[in-house]
Amino acid sequence: MWNFIRRRDPNIHFERLLKPLISHRHFRTRAVDRQNASPTGLYGFDHLKSPKGFQRFVDDAIERSGELVDYIAGMPSSAEIIRAMDEISDTVCSVVDSAELCRQTHPARGFVQEANKASMRINEYLHFLNTNHTLYNAVKKAEQDGHLLTEEAHRAALHLRIDFEKGGIHLPSGKLDRVNQLNLNALQLCREYGENIITDPGHVDIFPASCIPRQIQHLLKPIYRLKSGVSKDSLGSLDDEQAKGFQIITEPRTLFSVLQLTADDQVRKMAYLKGNSVPHANHEVLDKLIASRHELAQEFKTIRNLKRDVCGQRCVDLEPWDEPYYTAMIKSSAYNLDSSVVASYFSLPQCIEGLKLLVKSLFGANFDSIPMAPGESWHPDVLKMCLHHPEEGDLGYLYLDLYSRKGKYPGCATFAIKGGREISDTEYQLPVMALVFNFSRPHDSSTVRLNHGELETLFHEFGHALHALLSRTDYQHFSGTRVALDFAETPSNLFEYYARDYRVLRKFARHYSTGEVIPEKLVKSLNGARDMFAATELQRQIFYALVDQTLFGDRLPEPRDTCSIVAHLKRQHSNEKHVEGTHMQIRFSHFLTYGAGYYSYLYAKCFAATIWKKLCQEDPLSLATGTALRTKLLQHGGAKEPADLLTDLVGDGIIRYHNGGIVPDITSCLEEMKLSGERSLYY
């Protein structure tokens, strides 16, 4: 159970429980009356009307779980055992997931502090559940007695038993206690790592302000200092005597924009060095976490030559802070792209309309804003959306937290609040999700406009959300993205294609002021530019996967110095120079969440490429395409083997069996990157 509940994105499905066990109180999220505006708490949970409500939220979850543990101890039927186990998981996940979303996004410190306390308390309680031999023996009985009537129920029993054993329940008590302590340590260390990145992102102060391109100045904080030669005693007008500059907070999104668009190489260098050398506290955190828990040569000749042309030097090395800038310059030059022109077609409201278009065309459903009850939202900017089918009714709910603000989780992510599950013959608990982004509002309060990469990110995260909202599993244990790690990123990667297809973009991408439909030529240029240096990006992802495998694989790395390990792997498997004093491993949080599983991004990229080519490419917006995606893939969540789902969706050839395991077929992916035939000019 520990492994299931720890997953960030994970779900399940089965037959009806014969009778309700005990009143479910607030833990049940049903298809509710959307006109009901009665006051409630965060995310629709009555207890979360105030920060202290998290204490009661945990108390009730523990109380309800205890009732269910006692019920299971009486050894009811196998079907009831699995159903009750799933309700325990659902009950605890409500607290785990809500506390995590609150920790990462709530602007009020009191809520964040209480969510932190709740998170630690509920995770400690998890250890009681994960080491409970009564539960383990009941699950084994249910798996072995042959009375489970559905394939999903058998799968649920099998996975629950395996997860108990992965958690070490069969170990002697002393060793089991140690395993539990290590799990708690790892949880705390992962949290500390993430908090360090938020509290110490690093910054550099740049003067004069003219060093910063105008199109990214809204991302930065204006700062001022006295002009040289002016003393404090001789100050006249402050406007005349102060020099303006900008402070670059080197969190990932801002750092990438600076590296990509700033012509001044000293500014890029300063930002790169700072952005890859903090927070220093994570060295110790990463070392503790590790203790607890093929070369693809690339040619950078094209980029290097451009730098030589620009800089007017005969011999010049390509520095790590140069690559984003010069690749962006090459792409812009080759395809005559202007970032401000591109963004003018992707106003955020129109991009949201694009999401609505997708669900209407593919699934015959509507994706509309609905009012929230008083107290339900954690910030005035948050929207609540409902996925509604005219024949099936409400399918699920989605919160959109779109804009950056101080103290908020700095990246883009999908958070589960409630997984779908069958409660009775006539009642289904609808999934509830939240999508969190950090789009920057212009200082002049004009409409937010996205670049093409941000549009792809929006569609990527929406793919995760659809996976959850459209799943219809008997158990929340398998709901939506609660699937095998190798498979979890497949739907999200697939939906990125919709952000690149002109047949889709022309239906919603319009100029923010003129209403002109995005020109097909511009979309072709965007895709052409995106495909340039595709192999370089592939090499980078392979490097990340190799670092992840080395740090968190089955052997403790020798030497234990993570800086040496990363530097060695970069020299072996990358043409990017390693800069002494930089430490990417203390900034790359995917190493924490994926732990030896980062390769799954590459797996998903291959799966998605094959699905797009074989199923979606011919008619990406047809109801037939959407029906196939929904009925053969999305609705099953983790209730079926991923290999069976993929093969059923597109036929043989999407997977291969190799050395006793399953690997993706790479043909479509390589063809897409133009690596399967003659080598592309741009790697």
Side-chain angles (χ1 to χ4, degrees), residues 104-157:
Q104 300 285 8
T105 65
H106 206 290
R109 191 64 192 161
F111 266 104
V112 172
Q113 290 172 339
E114 291 300 322
N116 273 320
K117 294 177 186 177
S119 179
M120 292 310 297
R121 276 188 65 205
I122 200 66
N123 277 287
E124 288 170 0
Y125 180 68
L126 280 174
H127 298 303
F128 162 74
L129 297 175
N130 293 327
T131 58
N132 190 304
H133 283 82
T134 297
L135 297 181
Y136 175 57
N137 292 332
V139 167
K140 286 200 299 182
K141 168 187 174 292
E143 181 186 16
Q144 294 166 3
D145 74 4
H147 291 154
L148 295 175
L149 301 180
T150 70
E151 177 187 346
E152 188 177 339
H154 282 286
R155 184 172 172 80

Side-chain angles (χ1 to χ4, degrees), residues 209-491:
S210 59
C211 292
I212 301 297
R214 185 172 298 277
Q215 66 262 45
I216 62 170
Q217 289 182 2
H218 70 282
L219 298 176
L220 312 180
K221 176 184 176 182
I223 54 176
Y224 301 88
R225 70 181 182 189
L226 290 178
K227 293 179 180 178
S228 58
V230 176
S231 68
K232 292 183 179 179
D233 296 334
S234 63
L235 280 178
S237 167
L238 283 179
D239 290 340
D240 294 335
E241 309 299 345
Q242 286 191 325
K244 181 180 179 181
F246 285 100
Q247 185 174 90
I248 301 172
I249 305 299
T250 53
E251 53 83 26
R253 180 174 174 270
T254 302
L255 177 61
F256 183 75
S257 295
V258 170
L259 293 178
Q260 189 179 48
L261 297 172
T262 304
D264 190 316
D265 63 342
Q266 286 302 305
V267 173
R268 296 199 309 274
K269 178 179 180 179
M270 292 167 63
Y272 178 89
L273 292 175
K274 178 61 71 170
N276 285 277
S277 60
V278 293
H280 296 292
N282 275 352
H283 283 294
E284 183 179 2
V285 173
L286 187 61
D287 287 341
K288 288 179 179 177
L289 184 60
I290 292 171
S292 298
R293 307 192 288 47
H294 121 303
E295 180 173 357
L296 178 65
Q298 287 300 334
E299 171 70 76
F300 280 75
K301 183 177 180 181
T302 306
I303 311 173
R304 187 180 295 114
N305 286 346
L306 177 62
K307 182 176 180 181
R308 288 174 179 169
D309 292 341
V310 171
C311 297
Q313 300 177 32
R314 287 201 158 192
C315 276
V316 60
D317 287 333
L318 191 70
E319 303 293 350
W321 51 86
D322 289 332
E323 185 197 338
Y325 177 70
Y326 286 105
T327 53
M329 184 183 290
I330 291 172
K331 290 179 178 184
S332 179
S333 175
Y335 289 96
N336 192 28
L337 288 173
D338 182 319
S339 59
S340 62
V341 172
V342 172
S344 68
Y345 290 96
F346 297 132
S347 68
L348 186 52
Q350 283 301 114
C351 294
I352 300 300
E353 289 301 312
L355 303 183
K356 296 180 180 181
L357 165 74
L358 279 185
V359 298
K360 185 68 173 179
S361 300
L362 288 171
F363 311 116
N366 298 316
F367 183 57
D368 296 319
S369 297
I370 59 173
M372 280 185 273
E376 184 177 356
S377 177
W378 57 99
H379 192 276
D381 288 340
V382 175
L383 302 175
K384 185 178 184 181
M385 313 291 287
C386 176
L387 187 64
H388 178 84
H389 193 279
E391 296 175 1
E392 302 172 44
D394 291 355
L395 301 178
Y397 305 102
L398 179 67
Y399 296 102
L400 292 178
D401 189 348
L402 297 168
Y403 307 109
S404 62
R405 59 180 177 270
K406 185 177 179 180
K408 180 182 173 183
Y409 173 83
C412 303
T414 308
F415 291 85
I417 296 174
K418 266 295 184 185
R421 69 185 183 110
E422 191 175 76
I423 294 175
S424 70
D425 286 338
T426 59
E427 190 173 18
Y428 192 84
Q429 175 174 287
L430 295 180
V432 182
M433 304 292 290
L435 293 188
V436 175
F437 299 92
N438 273 274
F439 299 132
S440 297
R441 283 183 161 138
H443 293 315
D444 62 3
S445 299
S446 60
T447 302
V448 174
R449 297 192 284 275
L450 309 185
N451 60 45
H452 193 229
E454 289 172 326
L455 179 70
E456 287 187 309
T457 299
L458 178 67
F459 277 55
H460 176 102
E461 298 299 339
F462 192 60
H464 281 310
L466 285 176
H467 199 178
L469 298 177
L470 292 175
S471 74
R472 282 302 177 267
T473 54
D474 290 338
Y475 307 109
Q476 71 86 34
H477 208 54
F478 288 147
S479 177
T481 51
R482 288 171 175 148
V483 298
L485 186 63
D486 312 66
F487 181 57
E489 295 290 334
T490 299

